[in-house]
Amino acid sequence: MSDPRAAILSRLRARHPAARPLPENPVRRFDWSPQERLSRFREALAAVRGEVVLVDEDWPLRLFAWLRARGANNLRYAPATELGQELEQAWPDGEAIRLMPHREPVETCRQELFANTDAGLTGCLGAIAETGSLVLWPSVQEPRLLSLVPPLHAVVLDARNIRSTFHEFLVAEDWVGQGLPTNALLITGPSKSADIEQTLAYGVHGPKELLVLVRQDLGLAGGA
Amino acid sequence: MIPEFPVRVSQALGNERVRRNIRRTMDGLVLKRHKAFPDEHELAVLRRRGKLIRGHALAHLPDLLEELERNCQRNGIQVHWAETAAEGNALVRDILRRHGADLVIKGKSMVSEEMGLNHYLEAQGIRAVETDLGEFILQLGDERPSHIIAPAIHKDRVEIAQRFAAHFPEYPYTEDIEGLTAIARRIMREHFGRAIAGLSGVNFAVAETGTLCLVENEGNGRLCTTAPQVHIAVCGIEKVIARLDQLPPLLTLLTRSATGQPITTYVNMISGPRREGELDGPREVHLVLLDNGRSRIHGDPQLSSTLRCIRCGACMNHCPVYSRLGGHAYGTVYPGPIGGVLEPQLQGLDRLGELADASSLCGACGEVCPVRIPLPALLRRLRAEGVRGRQGSRVVGQGSRRKPLHRLIWTLWRWVNAYPSLYRGLTGLGTRLRWLMPKHLGPWTRTRSAPALAPRSLHELARSEGFRGE
Amino acid sequence: MEKPLSVYFFGTCLIDMVLPQAGLAAMRLLRREGIEVIYPQGQTCCGQPAYNSGYDAEARTVARCQLDAFSRDIPVVVPSASCAGMMKVQYPKLFAGTPDQERAEALARRVVELTDFLARVLDWRPVDRGAPLKVVLHQSCSARREMGVADAAKDLLARLAHLETVEPDHAHECCGFGGTFAVKQPEISAAMAADKADAILATGAQVLVSQDAGCLLNLGGTLERRCPDAAAQPSPRPAVKHIAELLWERTHDS
């Protein structure tokens, strides 16, 4: 039997189209002020039903209130992250919403994760103002399914990490140079489908609701 | 046995319900795309860039595929090559068998449709479950997608409710879209909880970083590529692009052209299996690169532009033929204008050449294509390949559509129109004997009255009004 | 392009045989503007039917006949965006790499669609002598896309003071003519024509105009079948006219 790889490549090489220079692809970016980036991000995300609230150090309490209003019984989070520690310290004691540190590999907590988890918390690398997207960069501490399986997903975003466009983001952060994680992700709103009569329905497979807690700092203090 | 194209056309045109469902969706998608590109200049710049990026990738395809393979392997992704759909199917089966998987959960993938993967696996004792909501609905009725991005648009909510009721009697009957979606979610969650293997397509494969990019709204694609032990991605060899920074322009062209969205809910960039210490993600990621006729298409300087396609479906949404027939009438995996160009090349003009005729060449498809594939010109080219006598191109089935009667007609037509005096004589005679003209002119007069020849031709009128004839 | 002293007129085979009054109206309009109109008696068909059916060699032979008939360096005015598109956009491709390439390219540069010529080159400002009239304008796909002259027809009608011009629902959509398409895929073509005819009827306009005779034959024939009773008052279906006929009718001294 012939080697399919060699056969395909040799057929492709049989034609010699003239080499072309890499097409020009200037970085799409906008000189928006930090305030404008935040407000555009907020607007774009709201358009796809993502909720944005501005917070400070009390963000765990805001998250708590949001979860309580939705009847959540528990929250899964990544304990080894800074966010995880802040969450643990500020979480109201003895209350109805149980914190579930996510430490085990999916193989041993699959059932818990899929059947018994109401909400997941993650951080993010930053966000994109133009499209209202969150940039997630799952890691050893913060696994991929945390942002996908629970019906509610909350994300903490630092306002200074909002860039104007995806293009600007990946170039400015030199994704190619630093190397990509196993699963870089853009998330723009809760899960949805329009497969039935082109009518939007939310929470098809992923979260039904998405909350972004935006921490403002220095440049933005008192801005909103 | 699938009936002949004209029969399918009649069936499609006779089905009022399907026609209504499809028309409604197409009108909606056309409007959404229109609103998504408010700035014509920006659209023109983007389309040009999209064309150049994809054209560049095709011009360097073998090198980029090797680079992709190298970088994928460096990332721990196992790369396989398949010349044919059968080879691709066998590769997928072998991977699944090695893991003892009797179930594979699938994200939406047109390439897997092209391979006929589900039926193949079924015959091998492996169940393939579609998890995209639209595909899930279709699989319950063993139907094929009628559109590449909105697969179940030919169905309305009542039909879907009835189908769910028949398959899942344990759930209360509902025609509510949120309710139907919730039922599907619960059923599929069970599969996600236990499947060992997941399968997906690929929207763009980035050579520079060895990254597989997938876009979707539901999250089923992420689940299929994250929750199981093994992830298999099937990908046409043309999907490669050179650089990571080429993703943003292509993504925005894709999602805005397809559904009018600035971006999909999820943009998933996979660069390898689970790494040391990570808590989830598949232990193995496999990339199956499928040729299945693409390298042959690549060999033709004009037709290779077919391979620029990023599968947005805009050509279908804007096609007056597609929006009346729907996808099933085409009888192929890829319907509409891109289907009329791609499928006859993949399967041969002898089998599917007729699809190239299923266009009025109105140009709507070419006008909206985000990577500026000259679809009308390619349709015309394939018509010419179908009737061309001499060999020379690599199009399968070249010359197979030559019919003696047609050749005779066009030869006569040429004679009449190539000799002005003959032309004038005949048109003059025709107009004088116009009372002899039949009232029934074959297909034309089935729904139209016959055109009447004028008493005097323009040639005569121009002469008698004193216009110089040179 | 500046206003020329003389132009060629390419009547198109369809107008020649079926709608010669439209061609004559167009030539009269041009002559009235002080332009010498030359109608080469050697002209036949642009070749598009064969070309769109894939019979390139046959199309080329016939197209060459037009290269001969319109050889002088003056504009060629064409009362059809479809045939104009064939000559302007497709001839250079059809003759690429042949000895006639240069001639084909030269002819392509000289081809102007009629409404574009009137609106843009002549900046024609007519006085409307007609009674108030509601007109529905159907733009051919070639006018919209291949030639990009759809604005011209709209403009011209807007310059006639007593006209109310409307476009049918789904105006951008093809009427289903497509040359040989109507014969090769009659059912699809008929479905498209039926929808277009219904959209036209829904406007309630008294007259249907277009810059392309092919669309008019298709739509006129379909309208006639859909509402055969033309004698009824008011007529349920619009009269069908080439735009040149309408423009001439409303602007000349009778």
Side-chain angles (χ1 to χ4, degrees), chain B residues 10 324 380 424 448 465, chain C residues 28 41 51 173 187 218:
Chain B
S10 291
R324 282 175 181 80
R380 209 207 61 78
R424 280 197 304 274
R448 306 168 187 87
E465 285 230 1
Chain C
R28 286 169 173 169
Q41 289 285 324
Y51 182 69
E173 198 170 82
E187 288 195 75
N218 178 39

Side-chain angles (χ1 to χ4, degrees), chain A residues 34-217:
Chain A
Q35 199 58 58
E36 194 173 359
R37 285 200 294 272
L38 176 57
S39 65
R40 281 180 184 267
F41 166 75
R42 210 174 166 164
E43 215 170 282
L45 188 56
V48 290
R49 261 216 208 177
E51 214 178 311
V52 177
V53 294
L54 304 182
V55 297
D56 40 44
E57 311 86 79
D58 73 341
W59 66 266
L61 298 177
R62 301 288 295 274
L63 173 58
F64 183 88
W66 187 76
L67 292 173
R68 195 170 51 188
R70 280 151 187 80
N73 294 312
N74 55 55
L75 170 68
R76 197 173 273 271
Y77 70 104
T81 58
E82 258 177 52
L83 278 183
Q85 321 235 312
E86 288 175 40
L87 181 77
E88 284 171 4
Q89 281 162 21
W91 203 246
D93 288 330
E95 287 283 355
I97 303 174
R98 188 162 53 92
L99 285 186
M100 302 166 74
H102 189 79
R103 291 197 182 92
E104 291 170 72
V106 62
E107 286 76 12
T108 55
C109 65
R110 195 181 287 265
Q111 181 60 25
E112 272 295 292
L113 181 63
F114 274 83
N116 301 323
T117 302
D118 292 339
L121 171 73
T122 68
C124 64
L125 204 62
I128 295 157
E130 188 182 31
T131 53
S133 309
L134 296 158
V135 183
L136 267 73
W137 201 257
S139 63
V140 168
Q141 288 82 23
E142 197 178 84
R144 292 152 70 160
L145 291 171
L146 212 46
S147 64
L148 180 63
V149 176
L152 302 171
H153 178 209
V155 185
V156 177
L157 163 69
D158 287 320
R160 65 169 181 276
N161 295 334
I162 305 176
R163 294 186 184 273
S164 66
T165 65
F166 177 37
H167 203 165
E168 180 190 358
F169 204 112
L170 69 83
V171 171
E173 310 247 330
D174 190 21
W175 283 15
V176 175
Q178 68 163 301
L180 288 159
T182 51
N183 190 194
L185 263 177
L186 306 184
I187 296 182
T188 313
S191 153
K192 61 175 179 277
S193 174
D195 275 350
I196 304 178
E197 295 192 359
Q198 288 292 299
T199 304
L200 282 176
Y202 290 87
V204 192
H205 292 283
K208 196 178 176 101
E209 290 188 68
L210 172 70
L211 173 71
V212 182
L213 301 148
V214 182
R215 294 197 291 202
Q216 304 194 69
D217 45 27

Side-chain angles (χ1 to χ4, degrees), chain C residues 187-211:
Chain C
E187 288 195 75
I188 307 173
S189 168
M192 289 160 68
D195 288 349
K196 185 65 83 181
D198 287 347
I200 286 166
L201 287 171
T203 64
Q206 297 144 281
V207 178
L208 162 67
V209 293
S210 173
Q211 62 281 80

Side-chain angles (χ1 to χ4, degrees), chain B residues 5-6 9-10 13 19 23 27 318-321 323-325 354 357-364 367 377 380 383-385 387-388 401-403 406-407 410-411 413-420 423-424 427 431 439-440 443-463 465-470, chain C residues 8-9 11-13 15-21 23-24 27-28 31 36-45 47-59 61-62 65-66 69 72 90 93 141 144-145 170 173-174 176-178 180-193 195 214 217-218 220-222 224-225:
Chain B
F5 183 61
V9 165
S10 291
L13 291 173
R19 278 187 67 178
R23 184 78 214 210
D27 284 353
H318 290 75
C319 176
V321 175
S323 66
R324 282 175 181 80
L325 296 181
E354 201 161 10
D357 283 341
S359 164
S360 63
L361 299 182
C362 76
E367 186 180 48
R380 209 207 61 78
R383 293 178 185 181
E385 291 292 341
V387 298
R388 197 157 82 163
R401 297 178 52 72
R402 276 159 77 86
K403 302 220 172 69
H406 293 170
R407 286 184 59 198
W410 289 115
T411 305
W413 172 89
R414 187 195 68 200
W415 272 86
V416 171
N417 287 286
Y419 297 95
Y423 171 92
R424 280 197 304 274
T427 51
T431 51
K439 285 275 167 273
H440 298 283
W444 175 271
T445 42
R446 255 177 250 153
T447 56
R448 306 168 187 87
S449 53
L453 290 178
R456 295 176 75 198
S457 71
L458 184 59
H459 276 72
E460 295 172 66
L461 293 174
R463 249 197 327 264
E465 285 230 1
F467 289 100
R468 229 176 87 194
E470 259 195 352
Chain C
Y8 280 130
F9 191 80
T12 80
C13 60
I15 284 183
D16 190 20
M17 288 185 277
V18 184
L19 284 179
Q21 68 275 20
L24 202 58
M27 291 199 287
R28 286 169 173 169
R31 181 156 67 182
E36 183 201 22
V37 181
I38 302 164
Y39 185 92
Q41 289 285 324
Q43 62 180 286
T44 61
C45 166
Q48 187 178 187
Y51 182 69
N52 281 352
S53 300
Y55 288 84
D56 292 11
E58 288 79 358
T61 306
V62 168
C65 198
Q66 314 325 312
R72 281 205 288 138
Q90 307 299 336
K93 298 181 193 168
C141 298
R144 280 191 196 282
R145 305 194 179 96
H170 284 89
E173 198 170 82
C174 174
F177 176 63
T180 51
F181 171 75
V183 180
K184 282 190 175 168
Q185 300 292 341
E187 288 195 75
I188 307 173
S189 168
M192 289 160 68
D195 288 349
L217 287 190
N218 178 39
T222 303
E224 205 171 313
R225 277 295 171 85

Side-chain angles (χ1 to χ4, degrees), chain B residues 34-68:
Chain B
H34 182 73
K35 286 184 178 162
F37 291 111
D39 179 346
E40 267 184 47
H41 175 70
E42 188 221 3
L43 174 59
V45 170
L46 262 178
R47 289 176 75 219
R48 184 173 158 70
R49 188 158 305 148
K51 173 189 165 175
L52 290 174
I53 290 172
R54 293 291 301 130
H56 171 268
L58 294 173
H60 300 268
L61 190 54
D63 296 342
L64 288 177
L65 283 168
E66 285 180 321
E67 186 185 346
L68 174 72

Side-chain angles (χ1 to χ4, degrees), chain A residues 7-22:
Chain A
I8 294 168
L9 289 173
S10 97
R11 267 199 304 278
L12 291 176
R13 291 215 158 93
R15 178 184 151 224
H16 300 283
R20 298 185 191 190
L22 207 58

